[in-house]
Amino acid sequence: METYTPGYGEAAAAFMARRRLDPNGAFFLPHLRPGISVLDCGCGPGTITRDIAQRIAPGLVVGLDFNAEQVAVASADARAHGIANVEFRQGSAYALPFEDGSFDAVFSHALLEHLKEPVNAAVEF
């Protein structure tokens, strides 16, 4: 069983909610273009996922997180911002619930360092 080291307390949740694609995922910006599909593994509250969705519209981004509460928060946030080209699902980075080749790109920010077997997750990506 994986344990998210920072936890989900108020301070950790507020910190995660402040993360944005630019600057936290600036390395990924050159790979984004309208119409592609992206998987965001370990999406947390979905703020970076939302930014990806806006950059690739009308393409689809799927945010995946193992924590059901984070998936619910992310889904509500996307609805509140009126973003329709995003989906959020609960699942494991070790066994992605998608067929191989389902996405043009995979993004992950601050996930691998929290996993017991990060290489296995990276191989699954």
Side-chain angles (χ1 to χ4, degrees), residues 25-48:
F27 68 90
F28 199 57
L29 290 170
H31 304 285
L32 300 178
R33 63 188 182 285
I36 68 168
S37 60
V38 176
L39 174 62
D40 180 4
C41 266
C43 67
T47 52
I48 293 176

